[in-house]
Amino acid sequence: MKKVTVENYREDKYYPRIVKATAELLTEHRVFLPTKVKIPMMQPQLTDTLFDDFLQVLPTDFQERAYELQAFARARKIRSPLQLLQLVLLYCGQDLSLRSCAGEVAKLQGYLSDTAVIKRLAACVSWIKSLLKSVFGLDKAVNHGALNFIVIDGSTVQEPGANETTYRLHVAIDLMSLTLREVNVTTDKVGESLDHYQLAAGDVALVDRGYNQPKSLVPLIDRGGHVVLRYNPHSMTLYERCNEPKGVKIDWEQRIRDLNGQPGAIPVYLCHQDKRIEGVVHAMPLPPEQAAQARRKAKQNARKKGRTASQKTLMLSGWVLVFTSIPESLLDTKSIAELYRVRWQVELVIKRLKSLLDIDRLRARKDSKLADLYLHGKLLFAAVTQKIAQRRFGQAATTMAGDRSITHWHLWRTIANEIKAGLTACFPKNKRFIDDHVKSLCERPRKRKLQSLPGRVLELVTECCALGVSIA
């Protein structure tokens, strides 16, 4: 039908599907946007049970968001937002090349070029970020009136051929469940800071010495949160607990000597602008062998910079100093030491992101939309993987409370492999489009052509086959 009019609209081939989709929406909503009618109309029939598990973790309106954020405008070779999501996961989850992604779509629905894939993927950045935020639960209230131990750390990702940092990942995990709570992606120009995270009252941030920044620590403590921080006296100044208006800087060399080689707690003030926060520095001596190794490392670092390590630096190298805003009456020095050691779990989560999910296999250039999509798509894949693991295996297998008999490594790998298998099953081969599939996988025209046998060699092979003989 070339033109739909009032007289012939009932004869249009889409009319029954529009009526059915509208009836389904009216059972749930009194008013809805016209774009919502498209979604039930264009649902692909080919989905896999394993991939359905992935979809159940996403927000229910994930397809509507594709229209709202202009990731999906109209149906062509990509028939619906669901198929567009599958295309994103082929690139980010399966790590297929752009041409291979085009080939997967082509074998199901006809020829698609890798250039078209690039354009489709580039439009999905805002949509994938929105879904990732919802899966992490960051669009909901964070403060539940509970005590949450959050381990925070950073990691780096390099673009192809780079020797230095291209992007920085700011990772926060829930220490009790060992699950990703929040991950932010920034360029290499942005340093580590607590300002990257949504932290509220009741949250206890466990951070390393890279976060010795009063400007980000004080606001968190002021909101009712707490910190457990590997303290570096060279990066952040702490003050004596006294009534001096300007404060008295702590002489750490003398304070450490006063401990006589024994663990101890030192009351301090953390100051920023006009605010003064009470805190405690728990000082713990390293074993002799580790202390000697730390001093050798301090001397080497000073030598590289053309300096000589001071006596203060060498003495402090033999100690672990941990600052916390949690009162000593709640957690003593021994408990703080044990708690800080558990911070290592965030390193294992980052290792899983890189070794199991290959988040460091960035295949796009810095500041490109494809690079942005790849990193956030990987994080969406990881967030959904851990949600499915929690639902399937329960809290007993995925919590730090009590004895543990299994690591998240095996759980993540099991779920990730199932999702990838389900995603592959969503693109079955259609015999009608075999030629289109091959065409989508073909190399682009280029000056240096692919090698082939010389013409005379081909003639000789043909002649020998025809005569049934070989070269004497």
Side-chain angles (χ1 to χ4, degrees), residues 306-323:
R307 300 198 300 262
T308 301
S310 65
Q311 290 299 318
K312 177 183 177 181
T313 299
L314 295 177
M315 185 188 67
L316 291 176
S317 298
W319 289 74
V320 174
L321 304 179
V322 178
F323 168 81

Side-chain angles (χ1 to χ4, degrees), residues 91-311:
Y91 180 70
C92 302
Q94 294 275 47
D95 283 302
L96 298 186
S97 66
L98 294 169
R99 191 169 292 127
S100 296
C101 290
E104 289 297 307
V105 176
K107 73 181 183 182
L108 175 64
Q109 295 181 170
Y111 174 73
L112 184 70
S113 68
D114 54 353
T115 302
V117 171
I118 293 174
K119 292 179 180 179
R120 289 298 186 114
L121 293 179
C124 294
V125 177
S126 298
W127 180 41
I128 296 301
K129 287 182 178 180
S130 173
L131 298 182
L132 179 62
K133 185 177 180 181
S134 296
V135 173
F136 278 144
L138 299 179
D139 51 357
K140 302 176 183 178
V142 177
N143 183 13
H144 301 294
L147 189 64
N148 305 305
F149 287 92
I150 313 299
V151 188
I152 290 172
D153 201 2
S155 186
T156 60
V157 175
Q158 287 75 35
E159 67 180 326
N163 296 321
E164 298 179 349
T165 299
T166 304
Y167 289 95
R168 184 168 280 112
L169 303 178
H170 306 273
V171 182
I173 70 167
D174 186 298
L175 186 56
M176 183 63 72
S177 62
L178 294 180
T179 55
L180 289 167
R181 171 179 166 128
E182 184 177 358
V183 183
N184 295 293
V185 181
T186 64
T187 65
D188 58 318
K189 305 300 182 184
V190 181
E192 296 176 332
S193 172
L194 292 181
D195 296 334
H196 298 308
Y197 308 94
Q198 295 187 19
L199 301 171
D203 290 338
V204 181
L206 276 70
V207 291
D208 63 13
R209 64 184 72 197
Y211 294 84
N212 280 261
Q213 306 165 10
K215 64 180 181 180
S216 63
L217 297 175
V218 171
L220 170 60
I221 300 171
D222 221 27
R223 294 195 300 268
H226 290 283
V227 295
V228 177
L229 162 75
R230 178 74 181 269
Y231 177 56
N232 183 1
H234 303 291
S235 302
M236 186 172 72
T237 301
L238 295 177
Y239 298 87
E240 296 279 3
R241 289 266 194 99
C242 63
N243 296 324
E244 288 290 333
K246 294 184 179 180
V248 178
K249 295 181 181 179
I250 293 180
D251 182 353
W252 287 108
E253 195 171 2
Q254 182 59 47
R255 280 294 197 143
I256 294 299
R257 283 200 189 97
D258 294 342
L259 293 176
N260 295 320
Q262 299 298 317
I266 303 171
V268 298
Y269 274 136
L270 171 64
C271 300
H272 178 62
Q273 296 178 346
D274 59 342
K275 294 186 177 180
R276 182 180 290 183
I277 304 294
E278 291 186 356
V280 181
V281 171
H282 296 273
M284 296 150 284
L286 289 173
E289 292 182 1
Q290 294 183 22
Q293 183 180 359
R295 292 189 181 98
R296 285 195 299 270
K297 187 175 180 180
K299 290 178 180 179
Q300 291 173 359
N301 291 337
R303 198 177 301 118
K304 289 179 181 178
K305 298 177 182 179
R307 300 198 300 262
T308 301
S310 65
Q311 290 299 318

Side-chain angles (χ1 to χ4, degrees), residues 1-6 8-9 12:
M1 188 181 297
K2 294 183 179 181
K3 185 177 180 180
V4 179
T5 64
V6 176
N8 66 6
Y9 71 93
D12 183 71

Side-chain angles (χ1 to χ4, degrees), residues 402-417:
D403 296 332
R404 300 167 62 209
S405 58
I406 189 171
T407 67
H408 284 237
W409 180 284
H410 299 290
L411 304 182
W412 277 38
R413 183 171 61 180
T414 299
I415 301 299
N417 289 341

